[in-house]
Amino acid sequence: MTEYHCDYLFTGSHLFTAQGGEEQIILNAAIAVKDQTIVWLGKQTSIPEDYKNPSKAVYELDSGWITPGLIDCHSHLVYGGNRSNEFRKRLEGESYEAIAHQGGGILSTVKATREASEGSLLLSAARRLETLLNEGVTTVEIKSGYGLNLETEMKMLSVARQLGKNFPVDVRTTLLAAHALPPEYKDNSDVYIDHICDVILPAVNDANLADAVDGFCENIGFTAKQIEKVFKKAKSLNLPLKLHAEQLSNQNGAALAASYQALSADHLEYLDEAGVKAMAKSNTVAVLLPGAFYFLQETKLPPIDLLRKYKVPMAIATDCNPGSSPCNSLLLMLNMACTQFKLTTEEALMAVTKHSAQALGLQDTHGQLKVGMQADFVHWSIDEPEDLAYYFGDNPCRLVIKKGQPLI
Ligand SMILES: [Zn+2]
């Protein structure tokens, strides 16, 4: 009986590995995959004999590039209803804060999400997820945060877990109960924070529904002191942390997140140098969300030069949500991170592969083409890797390999 050393062999393409350094680009390359793992990659002219005869198939790709599967590390893609009516209001001159104060904003999505059945949430989220997957996304983070009570937060997280079972994608779930103050706790934000710590967090953890815990540290969200309470509780349950920080003002949220070794601090338009230094020290990823910046028509840019200076890893995500970033395209975010935030094209590519994996704590298994990594990668019909950031409104995705399986 023949002993096979790989299931599939992919030849005839160039590689953008996202490893950085000398291994970043391999021209005229091949990749061998066994089970769910990359077992060999290198020049096509030096394929070891063992890998030339895979048990299932050889894919002779006609030029183009292979990159790691893209990772959308910040999304709210499970939600009820939409907020196009608020888009209209904002165009007529009302601010995001003013709309939030009128009971619009996040709370209108909370109402719609509480009323939605699990089935209808699954259906609407599936459509958004499919759009992402068609563009080469193989891992996505999905937050709760439109329930703001135990029942609906768990409903959202269950839907997110279900999406991971129904589609060829790794879903990482994040509990975002500290997203906004629910109407039943009006003027009682400390009591709601206690409810999160005493009831919601332990129950969600017992049900194994969350891979991380997040919060919204902002004037229209929660204070740093309140967030710290949630962080302490999450830490005691061994749940990794993330934070929406410095989006609309500087609350020193990123420094707080860093002091708790958070995986990431996200948004960061108002981040200052002290916050950047703190993030560098704790190796906390800066997740940049150009879709929200664009859609809210913000003008204050995140401090990209400082993030570079202190070598804070930068990731990019869609922030897919109905209020501030109704966006289902990670490729578009690549382009916008370059045009708006002035990332280099290489920084942008690393920001949706290696660094977005790190923002989810998946850096040992995801986000790079490397022997031993999970075999998630994408073949693109492009001439150079930077074409992925250059074009917008284009989808050159030709073939996705998820956990070693070509998706055809
Ligand atoms: Zn968000």
Side-chain angles (χ1 to χ4, degrees):
M1 217 180 108
T2 316
E3 194 196 330
Y4 294 104
H5 294 271
C6 63
D7 304 327
Y8 296 100
L9 180 67
F10 300 85
T11 64
S13 182
H14 309 306
L15 307 184
F16 176 88
T17 67
Q19 289 186 36
E22 283 181 11
E23 304 295 318
Q24 184 77 318
I25 300 280
I26 306 176
L27 297 176
N28 303 310
I31 303 186
V33 162
K34 186 169 174 49
D35 299 326
Q36 300 186 2
T37 308
I38 295 173
V39 290
W40 183 84
L41 57 80
K43 286 276 188 193
Q44 196 173 319
T45 48
S46 56
I47 302 171
E49 283 303 316
D50 277 354
Y51 298 124
K52 284 183 177 170
N53 181 28
S55 64
K56 292 183 177 157
V58 176
Y59 279 78
E60 291 175 17
L61 305 170
D62 183 16
S63 73
W65 284 78
I66 290 174
T67 69
L70 306 188
I71 298 173
D72 189 358
C73 65
H74 181 140
S75 97
H76 309 247
L77 72 80
V78 173
Y79 60 82
N82 80 44
R83 306 227 297 267
S84 56
N85 60 332
E86 289 175 18
F87 180 51
R88 176 176 46 76
K89 280 188 190 173
R90 280 204 298 109
L91 291 172
E92 288 165 4
E94 289 188 43
S95 72
Y96 187 69
E97 283 102 330
I99 291 168
H101 281 304
Q102 294 161 24
I106 291 172
L107 290 186
S108 67
T109 301
V110 170
K111 189 166 180 286
T113 306
R114 286 179 176 181
E115 287 166 2
S117 69
E118 203 162 314
S120 74
L121 286 178
L122 193 60
L123 207 65
S124 61
R127 196 189 66 77
R128 293 187 274 272
L129 180 62
E130 279 182 306
T131 311
L132 284 173
L133 301 191
N134 287 338
E135 285 189 350
V137 169
T138 53
T139 298
V140 64
E141 185 253 18
I142 302 176
K143 300 175 196 296
S144 66
Y146 296 124
L148 312 182
N149 60 29
L150 178 61
E151 184 195 346
T152 316
E153 289 292 299
M154 288 183 77
K155 179 171 72 178
M156 291 182 72
L157 294 168
S158 303
V159 168
R161 286 270 195 250
Q162 196 59 46
L163 289 166
K165 293 194 182 107
N166 295 359
F167 290 90
V169 61
D170 287 334
V171 170
R172 300 297 283 179
T173 58
T174 302
L175 175 69
L176 179 59
H179 192 196
L181 189 61
E184 54 275 20
Y185 285 88
K186 194 169 184 291
D187 303 321
N188 263 323
S189 58
D190 284 330
V191 180
Y192 178 57
I193 290 292
D194 287 342
H195 180 66
I196 293 174
C197 294
D198 299 340
V199 178
I200 298 181
L201 248 171
V204 164
N205 188 54
D206 284 349
N208 190 26
L209 282 173
D211 301 316
V213 171
D214 196 346
F216 187 27
C217 188
E218 194 53 71
N219 290 323
I220 57 168
F222 296 95
T223 65
K225 211 172 149 202
Q226 290 171 326
I227 293 293
E228 185 164 20
K229 246 183 161 174
V230 176
F231 277 4
K232 277 195 172 134
K233 183 69 190 184
K235 271 257 163 180
S236 77
L237 299 170
N238 282 325
L239 287 165
L241 304 172
K242 306 173 80 68
L243 188 64
H244 289 66
E246 273 74 88
Q247 181 186 6
L248 306 168
S249 62
N250 186 2
Q251 307 278 328
N252 299 311
L256 171 72
S259 74
Y260 280 82
Q261 284 78 47
L263 292 174
S264 72
D266 304 35
H267 284 292
L268 303 175
E269 278 81 349
Y270 286 80
L271 180 66
D272 62 15
E273 188 161 6
V276 175
K277 281 184 177 170
M279 289 178 71
K281 205 171 150 210
S282 60
N283 204 17
T284 297
V285 177
V287 177
L288 307 171
L289 303 167
F293 177 89
Y294 158 81
F295 195 69
L296 296 176
Q297 299 175 59
E298 297 290 343
T299 50
K300 174 113 171 91
L301 289 163
I304 303 299
D305 286 342
L306 287 172
L307 291 167
R308 270 190 200 120
K309 181 178 165 191
Y310 291 99
K311 299 193 167 53
V312 175
M314 291 184 276
I316 306 168
T318 59
D319 196 13
C320 171
N321 79 71
S324 61
S325 189
C327 166
N328 305 330
S329 173
L330 192 55
L331 287 180
L332 178 59
M333 296 303 99
L334 272 176
N335 177 266
M336 283 170 49
C338 297
T339 54
Q340 297 190 115
F341 294 169
K342 307 291 185 275
L343 262 62
T344 66
T345 52
E346 182 160 5
E347 284 171 338
L349 288 164
M350 297 299 274
V352 292
T353 52
K354 185 183 178 185
H355 296 156
S356 49
Q358 189 186 330
L360 298 178
L362 297 174
Q363 62 273 19
D364 294 337
T365 48
H366 291 63
Q368 295 174 68
L369 301 178
K370 202 176 184 178
V371 170
M373 288 266 171
Q374 182 166 301
D376 290 358
F377 49 87
V378 184
H379 178 236
W380 309 92
S381 170
I382 50 177
D383 299 321
E384 298 293 340
E386 65 190 14
D387 290 3
L388 293 179
Y390 164 66
Y391 290 108
F392 58 102
D394 186 28
N395 183 12
C397 175
R398 287 296 165 266
L399 177 66
V400 176
I401 287 79
K402 178 64 190 169
K403 286 190 178 170
Q405 288 300 316
L407 307 178
I408 304 180

